[in-house]
Structure formats: C-alpha cells, structure tokens
Amino acid sequence: PGSCPALCECSEAAKTVKCVNRNLTEVPPDLPSYVRNLFITGNRLARLPAGAFPAQRLPDLSALNLSGNHLRAVEAGALAALPSLRQLDLSGNPLVALSPQAFGEGGSPLEELALRGALRDHGVLLSLAAVLQSGALRNLSRLELADNGLLLLPAGMFAALPALRQLDLSNNSLVGLRNVSFQGLGQLQSLNLSDNSLGVLRNGTLAQFRGLPALRRIGLGRNAWVCDCAIEDLVAWLKESDQVESKEALTCAYPSKMLGKALLKINSSDLNCSVPVDLPSQLQTSYVFLGIVLALIGAIFLLVLYLNRKGIKKWMHNIRDACRDHMEGYHYRYEINADPRLTNLSSNSDV
C-alpha cells in the first residue's frame, strides 16, 4: 500500500502522487493509500470506468487532477467511492459522455469542479446540467465552465447549488442570459462573464444581480455591447452598482457611431430614445388612416355617380343601341353570304 506505481512520482511527506505525461491508458491500480493530492495529467485514459478509484485504498484523496487526458467518457460510479474528494479538475478533455450517476447516488462532498474546455459537446453540457440539478453536488462552492464555446446555458442549470461562491463562465460565446436563473445562489460572491458575446443585460437579469446579497465581483469585460435604446437599463445599473470590476473600461461595440464609447458616459441624448418606438401601434395607426382615406374616396365616387345618373343612363343606352346596330349588320351579312342564290352577286353591289 505504501509503494509508488511505475511511471509515477510519489512524495509521502507531501501526500502527493504525480503521473504526468506517461501515456497511461488507465488509472494505476496500486496507488498508495496515503495520497491526498493525485495528478494524472497528459495521458491517454480515454474513459473513466466505475471503481477506477477504490475508496478502501484512497480514503484521504481530496484533490484529483485529471486534466488533458483525452478523456471522452466518465461512466456511472467512476467518482462515487471517494469520501474525502473536495477538488476535481477535468479540464482539457474532449468529453462526449458524462453519466448522471458519475458521482454516485448519495451525493458527493466535492467543493470545486473545473471543466475548462471540456464541454464542447452539447450533449455533455446537458448531462452536466442534469448532474447539477439532481443535487448530487450540493456542496459545490466553485464551478469553472470557461473556454467551452457555450452559446446558451440550459434553464435552471444552477438551481440546486446553494453553496456556490464562484462561477466562471468566461471566454465562451454567450449571447444572452434570459433563460439563466441565478436565484437561490445566496452565497455567490464572484461571477465572471468576461470574453463572451453579450450585447445587453435585461432588467430581469439585473434584478437577480441586485437580489444576491453576497455578490461582490462581476466580470463583464470584452463583450460586444450594443449601445441602442435597450442598453439604458444596463447603463443605469452600472452607474449605481459597485459590483462590476473595471466598469470604466466597458465600451460599445455597435453601432459604428458609438464604437469605443464608454458605457458609463452614455446619456439618453446619445441613444435618441426620448420618444419610445412602438412599431405595432404605428402599423395599427397607419392601417386605420388608410381605411379612412379609402372610405372617403369611395363615398366621393358614389356621390359623383349619383349626381350624373341621368347622363350615365343616357350614355349606357347609346352604347347599347350602337352595339345592337353593329351586331344586326354582322347578322345580316352572314345571312347574305350563306344564301347560294346570292353567291354570283358582285361584292361591290349595293344590297
């Protein structure tokens, strides 16, 4: 039990084992029982099966780093039998499968989870949301989801994390937070949303920020802020809030006339929002006006017809008589041409 696995470096005094860049394809089965800090990084594990870390041999393991191992699957029960586990790093693994039972049925003592660059597959993101929502990680205080290219987050993803203090969502591609709820995160102290594609934060999100009593640090730098009328609420919140880090450096990205302008220096006159634009009501007013104009034209037309009814009647009679005389002429010529007795008559004769 006190031996050191081949291809690993062990320090009993520091309670640490390092198996780094050794092309391992599985977790060494003969890890020493004294280990508290285990680094298995830069290998080729591919999958983490159930029972990969037996509890009876690793009762004190508290920090586990499995980053950069080409891991694709974390199976059910793979991390369930570690009663002292507090820190887990799965960063830099191209995960495609994360079992909802990876941490067991009874919950995990895990406090810190790092998944930087490990959630590129959308299915894994949904699996992680299911794990978090199940309450298996209720003790989690730090969650790192940076550098994953995330566009949107599953609704209610953080609803069962009452102990969460630090949430890192930086360096993704988040375009909005409308379906993201931060309610219930009463212990949240730090929220990093920098290096995303946020164009605006709506009133609902800002109200949630105001309702988090412990929240002291919010990172919003390097986002594509759209400085139109919709950003007024965000600007007002920035001016009154002391939660945002380096808020003086936040600048507009769109439109071009506002490019580079500091959000804190924006006034209502810059946005030209004095008169609210309500397109549906404008269209409704236009349709009513058009209807009135058409009705007026119709009434004038009917009045003109009524005033000229005698002339119109005479004109109609004249047209009818002309058409009747014309048709009678055609009919009479047809009868002449159809009579064989008149076939020898000259075409110039006056019948």
Side-chain angles (χ1 to χ4, degrees), residues 5-57:
L7 304 179
C8 296
E9 299 175 1
C10 305
S11 172
E12 186 172 0
K15 310 294 184 183
T16 300
V17 174
K18 295 182 178 180
C19 310
V20 180
N21 298 328
R22 297 295 186 174
N23 286 323
L24 299 176
T25 57
E26 63 179 7
V27 177
D30 52 348
L31 292 169
S33 59
Y34 62 73
V35 62
R36 291 183 181 175
N37 307 300
L38 177 58
F39 297 83
I40 304 179
T41 62
N43 295 288
R44 296 185 175 277
L45 300 185
R47 56 186 286 268
L48 205 61
F53 302 96
Q56 61 272 22
R57 295 212 316 268

Side-chain angles (χ1 to χ4, degrees), residues 139-350:
N139 296 311
L140 209 61
S141 63
R142 179 176 177 271
L143 179 59
E144 184 178 351
L145 304 177
D147 195 23
N148 282 303
L150 304 177
L151 289 172
L152 296 170
L153 296 174
M157 184 174 180
F158 310 118
L161 300 175
L164 193 65
R165 295 184 178 183
Q166 299 178 33
L167 178 57
D168 188 353
L169 293 167
S170 64
N171 199 27
N172 283 293
S173 301
L174 295 174
V175 295
L177 298 174
R178 274 192 170 184
N179 65 327
V180 181
S181 175
F182 298 100
Q183 294 179 350
L185 302 181
Q187 303 297 320
L188 189 64
Q189 300 175 357
S190 174
L191 174 62
N192 193 348
L193 292 166
S194 59
D195 291 289
N196 276 283
S197 300
L198 297 172
V200 68
L201 294 180
R202 304 287 179 178
N203 249 338
T205 301
L206 300 177
Q208 291 187 50
F209 290 164
R210 293 188 185 99
L212 297 176
L215 187 58
R216 291 292 177 266
R217 296 188 304 276
I218 304 177
L220 295 175
R222 296 175 298 281
N223 278 282
W225 302 113
V226 179
C227 296
D228 57 13
C229 295
I231 207 169
E232 280 191 309
D233 295 330
L234 173 59
V235 171
W237 173 72
L238 287 174
K239 291 179 179 179
E240 70 180 29
S241 174
D242 58 355
Q243 297 171 303
V244 181
E245 294 180 325
S246 303
K247 61 182 180 180
E248 297 82 6
L250 301 181
T251 59
C252 303
Y254 303 99
S256 56
K257 66 177 183 178
M258 300 288 285
L259 180 63
K261 187 176 182 63
L263 266 61
L264 288 177
K265 295 183 179 180
I266 292 178
N267 298 313
S268 297
S269 58
D270 298 324
L271 303 176
N272 193 25
C273 299
S274 56
V275 179
V277 178
D278 188 356
L279 185 58
S281 63
Q282 282 190 348
L283 289 175
Q284 185 177 4
T285 303
S286 300
Y287 290 145
V288 171
F289 180 74
L290 179 61
I292 294 174
V293 171
L294 292 176
L296 182 61
I297 293 174
I300 294 175
F301 180 72
L302 292 176
L303 180 62
V304 171
L305 291 179
Y306 177 76
L307 294 176
N308 292 276
R309 60 188 183 279
K310 293 183 179 180
I312 293 174
K313 184 176 181 180
K314 182 178 180 181
W315 178 69
M316 292 294 292
H317 286 166
N318 292 337
I319 292 178
R320 184 191 62 185
D321 294 340
C323 290
R324 183 177 59 190
D325 293 343
H326 198 65
M327 292 303 295
E328 286 180 352
Y330 273 115
H331 181 67
Y332 190 62
R333 291 189 180 186
Y334 174 78
E335 289 179 347
I336 292 176
N337 292 333
D339 191 341
R341 295 174 296 177
L342 301 177
T343 54
N344 294 325
L345 291 178
S346 171
S347 59
N348 294 325
S349 62
D350 186 8

